[in-house]
């Protein structure tokens, strides 16, 4: 039968003592305890922090005693649920700590005139000093008799204390007073046990460290356990705004952008040290204690299968993945376990079981502490205390408790041992390298066999990397999809060696590869066959992180760039943008190379990435310039406008502003800053190459143009070639309010009849320039798609000319739509045109896409101007399928046929006769002449 509330009170020396001291407390309040907790928290606001040290302390002590009683009733009866009770305890702690801090300032102000003056100027609290809650206080789930782990810092620029008094000294005095108010200090009654030992260099520093010194310490001298502690850090008292800014500043120290598998080793070592050094566990002097029927003396917090092991499971996976997956950056253990399951980093069923066990162990821990209000975590050994524990827990008998507890402990212990098990010791691995490696390759693989020592791997880690050496040997000797005849083993070894040398010194990435040898398939082919991807890997070796767990790009979900704007510093945001683009490009390239992405999806995804990044860059620059709105509209040209981007594509952009909203000076300053943000080379390259030469002012003028100037230029001063460039354009970012106006201008440019002779002569003049200065004549077996006769450039040019000459006046100015209309109108108006021309124009979209497919592969594989037979067989097979042919011969024939059709179609489309060709050398391009009279109709 479950225990009654009165029985539970009687079983606790502490609770029964409170009832005697405060007669209004009784078991009758069970079921309404949470209401009393709310009232007690509200009552703290009435405490006058200027009333004197003893008065404030006594008020806090009495309020805490009542709070402890009601909280115990709620916990023992399971009122409100585990998380809610932890939140109430945490809230009460924060309120009392903040009151103690304000009172402490008042006490120091009685002795220091400067502090008194500062208090008068800042009645709501002196700025600059703040306190982090760590551990369960930071995690928002304090238990009954938790210590409050505190760390304090001050910002010397904001703290209004004269330098001559010593800012650190005054803050230290204040925090000593806080400790005196809250702590035991020989008293039987107290508010909290205060622990300051988690601060930087605790044995040699005062209780408060300046933010400058603390930031330097964390980044350059901190130990692994500092990261573990700061995972749960939260500002709980003092200047909370300044505290949050500092926490943001040290976030890169806590949460590494790269996957951090060293965290597993570091946490295992911390657990080992706790077992050896903690007073209650020191006598064991062993790594793991046995789980048996004798649970008396079991340390619920630190013992095998206990609370700390569950926390370490969550913490380890948070540290590994939290740099990439932001939902894991929670200080609360239960929330962390659930998020790990949501993100696929922990089995869902296991996570749910761990939550149940964690809450059970915490309830057991609370009952142990409620018995006598002692900071104890050990299950009692004597029968009397055990019986009282059963009453507090509402358990039927001791054997049932033992069975349930040990079942839970075994579950936790198994997973803990599995997670922190040392890798690479499951038997001897036989490594067999390919025969006849070159001398250079043999020297490299010898180093691999010795634990990759040439890359700065520590001696302790080298034996764990044996699986990586075995995986590399297997890869080099296997018949993969690329075929061993295409795999030069020696060259592959050398290329991998160069890549390994580009990694940060140490074992981090080698450990990752050793535990996930399947990553080699994501690294080796790109290193061998794709210069573009190889460059990305060298610029951003952390790219391999993306292929761990469920970190891969999911196109249905979209691009996740939140971590970029979560950085406060502008320069860090810019670095992260480059990192982001490199990671996404590499994954898209690999998906395409491996056949997991169609051509159209590849082109659209590359375009979506460019637009997403452009939008991100616009917001980052606007925030840096403290602008609430983006002052320009971005008009995309070329491939980004057509949604047909390919590897290594740059961004052709025009920046337009509305003079009713902003002036040219601001718009130009913004665009100049944007260009620097996107195109300036940094450690990981550029975001994108930008081309703004198509703007009305060309290379020399301002980087921006007003919407009025853009309209007048396009309708009054632009040459035909500028209209040809404008045809494939659309708004891709920035201030969207100008989009209707821009589309209206484009509609007029495309749909308004123009002087047919000028159009023909201007178009042919530029065609001739392209043919003479850009186009090169290559055989069909050479991968050269863009600038060959009748290739991609001339095909896209022909399509734009067709739209200009035959597209009707349409509201829908999408290029693909306009091209289809122009093809239809030409067929209707020029029914007597040569059948060959009609056929070519009808297939123009298909021909254009054919050339784009050739360009995708030649850029991705770096084979421009190289023979097609240099393609690895697997990639050639995919190219043939994408091109709609079954053999190399068919592909060569198709290339030759399309080239000839495009070249012939240009003359026929514009109806250029001999007299026009004779006049072409002397033809001078002028502003566009619009048709008049009958021609306009």
């Amino acid at each position: 039968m479950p225990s009654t509330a009165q029985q539970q009170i009687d079983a606790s020396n502490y609770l029964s003592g409170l009832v005697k001291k405060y007669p209004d407390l009784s078991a009758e309040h069970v079921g309404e305890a949470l209401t009393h907790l709310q009232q007690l928290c509200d009552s703290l606001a009435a405490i006058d922090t200027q009333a004197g040290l003893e008065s404030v302390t006594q008020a806090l002590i009495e309020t805490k005693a009542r709070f402890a009683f009601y909280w115990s009733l709620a916990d023992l009866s399971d009122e409100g649920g585990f998380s809610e009770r932890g939140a109430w305890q945490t809230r009460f702690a924060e309120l009392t700590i903040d009151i103690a801090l304000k009172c402490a300032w008042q006490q120091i102000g009685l002795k220091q005139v400067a502090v008194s003056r500062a208090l008068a100027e800042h009645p709501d609290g002196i700025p600059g000093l703040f306190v982090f809650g760590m551990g369960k206080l930071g995690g928002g789930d304090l238990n009954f008799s938790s210590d409050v782990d505190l760390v304090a810092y001050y910002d010397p620029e904001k703290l209004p204390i004269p330098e001559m008094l010593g800012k650190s000294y005054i803050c230290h005095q204040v925090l000593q007073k806080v400790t005196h108010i809250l702590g035991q200090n020989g008293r039987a009654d107290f508010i909290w046990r205060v622990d300051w030992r988690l601060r930087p260099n605790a044995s040699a520093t005062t209780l408060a460290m300046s933010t400058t010194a603390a930031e330097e310490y964390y980044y350059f001298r901190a130990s692994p356990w500092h990261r573990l502690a700061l995972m749960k850090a939260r500002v709980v008292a003092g200047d909370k705004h300044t505290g949050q800014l500092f926490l943001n500043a040290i976030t890169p120290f806590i949460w590494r952008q790269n996957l951090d598998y060293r965290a597993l080793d570091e946490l295992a070592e911390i657990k080992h040290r706790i077992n050896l050094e903690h007073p209650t566990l020191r006598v064991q002097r062993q790594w793991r204690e046995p789980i048996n029927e004798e649970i008396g003396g079991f340390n619920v917090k630190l013992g095998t299968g206990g609370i700390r092991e569950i926390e370490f499971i969550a913490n380890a996976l948070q540290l590994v993945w939290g740099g990439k997956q932001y939902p894991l950056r929670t200080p609360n253990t239960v929330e962390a376990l659930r998020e790990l399951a949501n993100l696929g980093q922990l089995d869902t069923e296991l996570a749910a079981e761990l939550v149940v066990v964690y809450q059970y162990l915490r309830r057991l821990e609370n009952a142990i502490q409620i018995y006598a209000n002692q900071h104890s975590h050990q299950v009692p050994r004597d029968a009397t205390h055990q019986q009282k524990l059963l009453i507090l827990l509402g358990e039927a008998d001791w054997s049932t408790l033992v069975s349930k507890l040990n079942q839970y402990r075994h579950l936790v212990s198994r997973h803990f041992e599995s997670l922190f098990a040392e890798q690479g010791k499951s038997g001897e691995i036989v490594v067999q390298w390919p025969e006849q490696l070159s001398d250079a390759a043999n020297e490299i693989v010898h180093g691999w066999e010795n634990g990759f020592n040439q890359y700065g791997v520590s001696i302790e880690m080298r034996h764990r990397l044996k699986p990586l050496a075995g995986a590399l040997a297997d890869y080099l000797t296997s018949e993969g999809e690329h075929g061993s005849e295409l795999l030069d083993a020696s060259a592959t070894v050398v290329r991998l060696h160069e890549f390994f040398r580009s990694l940060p010194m140490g074992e981090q990435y080698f450990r990752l590869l050793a535990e996930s040898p399947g990553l080699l398939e994501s690294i080796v082919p790109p290193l061998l066959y794709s210069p573009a991807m190889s460059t990305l890997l060298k610029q951003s070796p952390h790219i391999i992180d993306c292929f761990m767990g469920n970190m891969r790009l999911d196109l249905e979900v979209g691009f996740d760039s939140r971590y970029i704007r979560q950085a406060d510093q502008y320069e860090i945001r810019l670095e992260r943008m480059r990192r982001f683009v490199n990671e996404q490009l590499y994954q898209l390239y690999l998906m395409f190379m491996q056949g997991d992405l169609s051509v159209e999806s590849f082109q659209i995804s590359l375009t979506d990435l460019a637009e997403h990044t452009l939008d991100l860059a616009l917001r980052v620059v606007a925030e840096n310039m403290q602008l609430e709105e983006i002052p320009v509209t971005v008009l995309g040209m070329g491939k980004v406008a057509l949604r047909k981007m390919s590897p290594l594509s740059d961004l052709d952009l025009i920046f337009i502003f509305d003079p009713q909203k902003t002036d040219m000076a601001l718009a130009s300053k913004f665009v100049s800053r944007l260009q620097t943000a996107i195109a300036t080379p940094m450690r990981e390259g550029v975001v994108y190459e930008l081309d703004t030469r198509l703007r009305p002012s060309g290379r020399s003028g301002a980087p921006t143009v007003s919407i009025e100037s853009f309209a007048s230029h396009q309708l009054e001063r632009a040459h035909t070639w500028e209209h040809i460039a404008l045809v494939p354009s659309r708004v891709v970012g920035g201030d969207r309010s100008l989009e209707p106006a821009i589309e209206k201008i484009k509609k007029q440019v495309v749909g308004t009849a123009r002087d047919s002779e000028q159009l023909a002569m201007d178009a042919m003049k530029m065609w001739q320039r392209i043919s003479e200065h850009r186009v090169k004549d290559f055989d069909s077996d050479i991968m050269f798609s863009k600038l060959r006769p009748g290739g991609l450039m001339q095909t896209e040019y022909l399509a734009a000319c067709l739209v200009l000459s035959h597209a009707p006046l349409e509201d829908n100015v999408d290029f693909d739509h306009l091209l289809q209309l122009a093809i239809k109108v030409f067929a209707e108006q020029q029914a007597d045109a040569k059948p060959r021309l009609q056929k070519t124009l009808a297939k123009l979209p298909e021909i254009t896409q054919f050339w784009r497919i050739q360009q995708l592969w030649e850029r991705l594989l770096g084979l421009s101007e190289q023979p097609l037979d240099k393609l690895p067989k697997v990639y050639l097979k995919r190219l043939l399928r994408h091109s709609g042919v079954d053999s190399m011969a068919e592909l060569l024939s198709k290339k030759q046929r399309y080239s000839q059709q495009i070249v012939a179609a240009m003359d026929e489309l514009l109806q250029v006769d001999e007299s026009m060709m004779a006049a072409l050398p002397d033809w001078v391009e002028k502003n566009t002449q619009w048709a008049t009279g009958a021609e306009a109709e």
Side-chain angles (χ1 to χ4, degrees):
M1 172 180 280
S3 309
T4 66
Q6 187 60 56
Q7 288 173 326
Q8 291 173 323
I9 291 172
D10 292 340
S12 166
N13 293 346
Y14 177 63
L15 295 183
S16 58
L18 288 179
V19 170
K20 291 178 182 178
K21 187 172 184 178
Y22 304 102
D24 59 310
L25 302 179
S26 73
E28 295 177 0
H29 297 294
V30 69
E32 54 187 41
L34 297 184
T35 301
H36 288 282
L37 297 183
Q38 174 72 66
Q39 293 170 350
L40 288 167
C41 286
D42 292 343
S43 72
L44 292 174
I47 295 178
D48 181 4
T49 57
Q50 301 183 46
L53 185 64
E54 293 305 318
S55 175
V56 171
T57 303
Q58 191 57 41
L60 289 176
I61 287 174
E62 182 171 336
T63 308
K64 171 61 187 298
R66 293 177 177 279
F67 186 92
F69 179 82
Y70 289 121
W71 192 91
S72 298
L73 287 188
D75 193 66
L76 295 175
S77 63
D78 199 23
E79 181 182 350
F82 175 83
S83 297
E84 185 175 358
R85 293 193 300 275
W88 275 114
Q89 188 81 273
T90 303
R91 184 186 175 198
F92 185 81
E94 291 177 11
L95 292 171
T96 52
I97 294 168
D98 204 48
I99 289 171
L101 181 60
K102 290 177 180 177
C103 180
W105 274 117
Q106 296 290 341
Q107 294 301 305
I108 300 301
L110 296 176
K111 300 178 181 180
Q112 297 288 350
V113 175
V115 174
S116 179
R117 189 179 300 118
L119 286 168
E121 294 175 358
H122 305 279
D124 294 329
I126 291 185
L129 178 66
F130 54 91
V131 180
F132 279 178
M134 316 288 275
K136 288 184 174 63
L137 175 59
D141 61 350
L142 280 174
N143 60 308
F144 176 78
S145 189
S146 289
D147 288 347
V148 288
D149 295 302
L150 305 179
V151 179
Y153 313 86
Y154 65 91
D155 185 334
E157 299 297 322
K158 296 182 179 179
L159 188 71
I161 302 299
E163 196 66 51
M164 60 182 292
L165 288 180
K167 296 178 185 287
S168 177
Y169 172 71
I170 293 297
C171 288
H172 179 76
Q173 284 190 312
V174 169
L175 297 170
Q176 280 185 318
K177 287 290 183 185
V178 169
T179 308
H180 178 79
I181 294 168
L182 297 175
Q184 287 181 281
N185 300 305
R187 300 188 302 250
D189 297 320
F190 59 93
I191 300 99
W192 302 105
R193 300 177 185 88
V194 181
D195 191 337
W196 295 98
R197 290 176 297 174
L198 292 180
R199 71 187 188 276
N201 200 15
S203 62
T205 59
T206 57
L207 292 181
M209 178 180 278
S210 76
T211 52
T212 305
E215 191 168 347
E216 180 182 350
Y217 181 89
Y218 285 132
Y219 279 107
F220 300 108
R221 300 197 302 279
S223 302
W225 71 263
H226 286 102
R227 286 184 64 207
L228 178 66
L230 286 170
M231 280 176 57
K232 293 181 177 293
R234 193 166 50 83
V235 189
V236 297
D239 185 347
K240 293 188 176 182
H241 175 71
T242 300
Q244 189 58 51
L245 291 177
F246 176 69
L247 188 55
N248 294 343
I250 61 173
T251 291
F253 163 72
I254 307 169
W255 303 105
R256 307 283 170 81
Q257 289 188 62
N258 302 332
L259 294 190
D260 192 6
Y261 269 74
R262 284 173 296 192
L264 299 178
D265 298 322
E266 292 169 353
L267 285 178
E269 177 60 25
I270 291 170
K271 179 66 168 65
H272 183 56
R273 288 178 57 189
I274 290 173
N275 279 7
L276 292 181
E277 296 174 10
H278 194 277
T280 63
L281 300 176
R282 186 180 299 147
V283 293
Q284 296 170 17
R285 292 297 178 188
Q286 58 185 24
W287 174 237
R288 311 283 289 154
E289 64 177 344
I291 299 174
N292 53 43
E293 293 299 311
E294 180 50 60
I295 65 170
F298 166 61
N299 190 303
V300 177
K301 180 178 181 180
L302 301 175
T304 298
I307 292 170
R308 181 57 55 84
E309 291 191 356
I310 299 176
E311 292 173 338
F312 272 27
I313 289 168
N315 295 159
L317 295 175
Q318 283 179 281
L319 285 175
V320 171
W321 300 101
K324 292 281 190 178
Q325 296 181 316
Y326 284 81
L328 296 180
R329 299 183 180 187
T330 172
N332 185 278
T333 300
V334 171
E335 290 179 7
L337 290 169
R338 288 171 175 161
E339 288 295 346
L340 286 164
N342 291 339
L343 295 168
Q345 305 304 350
L346 191 61
D347 177 77
T348 302
E349 184 177 344
L350 174 62
E353 290 176 335
L354 289 175
V355 168
V356 169
V357 177
Y358 182 74
Q359 293 179 346
Y360 177 82
L361 293 175
R362 289 287 304 278
R363 186 163 180 264
L364 174 59
E365 179 185 40
N366 285 332
I368 292 170
Q369 295 177 352
I370 287 172
Y371 172 72
N373 193 22
Q374 294 178 345
H375 190 57
S376 172
H377 308 281
Q378 287 185 292
V379 175
R381 297 179 184 274
D382 66 277
T384 301
H385 286 176
Q386 289 178 354
Q387 185 59 38
K388 290 188 175 182
L389 180 63
L390 288 175
I391 295 172
L392 290 170
L393 291 171
E395 294 280 3
D397 57 74
W398 191 251
S399 61
T400 301
L401 186 148
V402 170
S403 176
K404 181 187 292 188
L405 178 59
N406 282 342
Q407 177 187 347
Y408 286 163
R409 291 178 65 194
H410 278 296
L411 170 71
V412 174
S413 179
R414 280 196 306 272
H415 191 66
F416 181 85
E417 288 181 325
S418 173
L419 181 62
F420 292 99
E422 190 169 326
Q423 304 293 319
K425 286 192 172 182
S426 56
E428 189 63 28
I429 297 175
V430 178
V431 180
Q432 185 66 46
W433 299 103
E435 298 179 357
Q436 298 179 336
L437 288 176
S438 67
D439 291 343
N442 270 318
E443 184 177 349
I444 292 168
V445 300
H446 179 70
W448 292 354
E449 287 184 330
N450 288 328
F452 299 82
N453 55 2
Q454 64 265 61
Y455 312 114
V457 174
S458 64
I459 295 175
E460 295 79 9
M461 180 58 62
R462 290 174 190 173
H463 71 278
R464 297 195 187 187
L465 301 183
K466 200 75 170 179
L468 177 56
L472 286 166
D474 290 345
Y475 187 92
L476 292 169
T477 55
S478 67
E479 290 273 354
E481 71 166 354
H482 308 283
S484 60
E485 74 278 3
L486 292 172
L487 187 67
D488 183 331
S490 295
T492 303
V493 168
V494 172
R495 292 290 292 276
L496 279 168
H497 173 63
E498 292 173 353
F499 170 65
F500 290 158
R501 289 176 60 189
S502 73
L503 296 172
M505 290 292 285
E507 63 267 7
Q508 167 72 352
Y509 284 101
F510 297 98
R511 166 79 177 273
L512 192 153
L513 288 168
E515 295 185 1
S516 305
L519 288 175
L520 293 174
E521 190 60 39
S522 302
I523 296 172
V524 178
L527 284 173
L528 296 178
Y529 306 121
S530 176
M533 297 177 72
S534 182
T535 297
L536 291 175
L537 270 175
K538 290 177 180 178
Q539 287 178 339
S540 307
H542 49 74
I543 282 171
I544 61 178
D545 291 357
C546 300
F547 299 98
M548 294 297 299
N550 63 343
M551 299 291 290
R552 291 174 184 260
L553 172 62
D554 185 344
L555 292 176
E556 292 185 4
V557 175
F559 304 105
D560 184 1
S561 59
R562 288 174 294 176
Y563 76 99
I564 295 173
R565 293 178 68 202
Q566 287 177 345
D568 291 325
Q569 296 181 26
Y570 182 63
E571 291 74 16
I572 293 177
R573 288 181 167 193
L574 300 187
E575 286 283 10
R576 288 186 178 182
M577 271 200 292
R578 285 151 178 77
R579 175 194 189 98
F580 166 74
V581 170
N582 287 352
E583 288 179 347
Q584 310 311 308
L585 284 177
Y586 189 92
Q587 292 182 83
L588 288 173
Y589 292 172
L590 186 66
M591 292 166 70
F592 183 70
M593 285 182 67
Q594 293 180 337
D596 298 328
L597 207 57
S598 68
V599 169
E600 185 176 0
S601 295
F602 187 40
Q603 293 170 316
I604 291 173
S605 297
L606 289 174
T607 306
D608 288 345
L609 174 61
E611 290 189 53
H612 178 97
T613 307
L614 178 61
D615 179 66
L616 179 65
L618 288 165
R619 286 185 286 161
V620 166
V621 171
E623 289 171 6
N624 178 251
M625 294 179 66
Q626 298 181 336
L627 300 176
E628 293 185 1
E629 296 182 355
I630 296 168
V632 296
T633 301
V634 186
L635 184 64
M637 317 287 282
K639 285 187 171 61
V640 69
L642 295 168
R643 296 184 175 87
K644 301 292 185 183
M645 290 191 71
S646 65
L648 307 180
S649 288
D650 57 12
L651 298 181
D652 295 299
L653 305 175
I654 295 176
F655 299 99
I656 306 170
F657 70 94
D658 184 350
Q660 301 299 318
K661 294 182 177 181
T662 188
D663 56 50
M664 176 173 281
L666 176 60
S668 296
K669 181 180 179 180
F670 179 87
V671 171
S672 295
R673 185 79 59 87
L674 179 71
Q675 290 173 312
T676 300
I678 293 177
T680 299
M682 298 178 75
R683 181 170 52 88
E684 296 190 44
V686 300
V687 180
Y688 281 98
E689 297 286 354
L690 293 185
D691 190 341
T692 60
R693 292 174 294 177
L694 293 176
R695 65 186 189 269
S697 56
R699 298 187 182 200
S700 57
T704 57
V705 58
S706 70
I707 184 65
E708 289 83 358
S709 296
F710 180 75
S712 63
H713 179 85
Q714 293 294 342
L715 299 175
E716 300 171 13
R717 299 186 300 277
H719 291 185
T720 300
W721 71 265
E722 292 177 275
H723 289 167
I724 292 172
L726 183 67
V727 168
S729 66
R730 66 182 175 89
V731 173
V732 295
D735 179 9
R736 294 279 176 172
S737 65
L738 287 181
E739 190 168 3
I742 294 171
E743 289 189 349
K744 182 179 179 181
I745 295 166
K746 181 177 174 182
K747 173 184 173 181
Q748 290 179 266
V749 168
V750 173
T752 304
R754 59 186 65 226
D755 183 280
S756 58
E757 180 183 5
Q758 184 192 40
L759 172 60
M761 293 298 288
D762 283 353
M764 283 306 300
K765 185 79 173 183
M766 188 167 182
W767 177 274
Q768 189 177 67
R769 282 201 298 269
I770 292 172
S771 300
E772 292 177 355
H773 301 296
R774 303 291 304 278
V775 169
K776 299 179 183 179
D777 201 358
F778 282 97
D779 292 337
S780 297
D781 66 336
I782 300 298
M783 292 192 73
F784 192 75
S785 60
K786 183 175 181 179
L787 297 176
R788 67 169 55 248
L792 179 58
M793 175 176 279
Q794 291 190 328
T795 302
E796 291 179 333
Y797 182 81
L798 174 64
C801 289
L802 177 62
V803 170
L804 271 189
S805 59
H806 288 85
L809 197 64
E810 270 276 331
D811 288 333
N812 186 348
V813 292
D814 175 75
F815 178 79
D816 289 338
H817 175 75
L818 291 174
L819 179 58
Q820 291 293 346
L821 286 177
I823 292 170
K824 180 180 179 181
V825 169
F826 181 86
E828 293 171 350
Q829 294 179 352
Q830 307 290 333
D832 58 345
K834 295 180 181 179
R836 182 180 65 179
L837 175 60
Q838 294 277 21
K839 183 178 180 180
T840 298
L841 295 184
K843 295 188 68 173
L844 201 51
E846 177 185 327
I847 296 172
T848 308
Q849 183 68 346
F850 170 83
W851 288 122
R852 288 173 182 151
I853 289 168
Q854 311 311 303
Q855 186 184 62
L856 289 180
W857 281 105
E858 69 184 55
R859 285 188 173 183
L860 194 55
L861 300 178
L863 293 176
S864 184
E865 302 187 29
Q866 298 294 319
L868 277 164
D869 59 14
K870 284 198 172 184
L871 266 75
K873 288 184 178 180
V874 63
Y875 301 139
L876 176 60
K877 182 179 178 181
R878 288 175 186 151
L879 171 61
L880 295 177
R881 185 176 73 251
H882 291 160
S883 303
V885 297
D886 296 322
S887 67
M888 176 81 81
E890 287 184 56
L891 178 62
L892 299 182
S893 175
K894 198 169 189 177
K895 289 178 69 174
Q896 187 174 20
R897 182 171 69 254
Y898 282 169
S899 294
Q900 292 170 350
Q901 289 174 351
I902 293 299
V903 171
M906 189 65 186
D907 291 338
E908 296 170 1
L909 172 66
L910 298 176
Q911 300 178 348
V912 178
D913 55 28
E914 291 183 2
S915 63
M916 293 171 67
M917 290 301 296
L920 197 61
D922 298 322
W923 180 261
V924 177
E925 296 167 89
K926 298 179 180 179
N927 300 351
T928 298
Q929 301 298 307
W930 303 106
T932 58
E935 188 176 18
E937 298 176 2

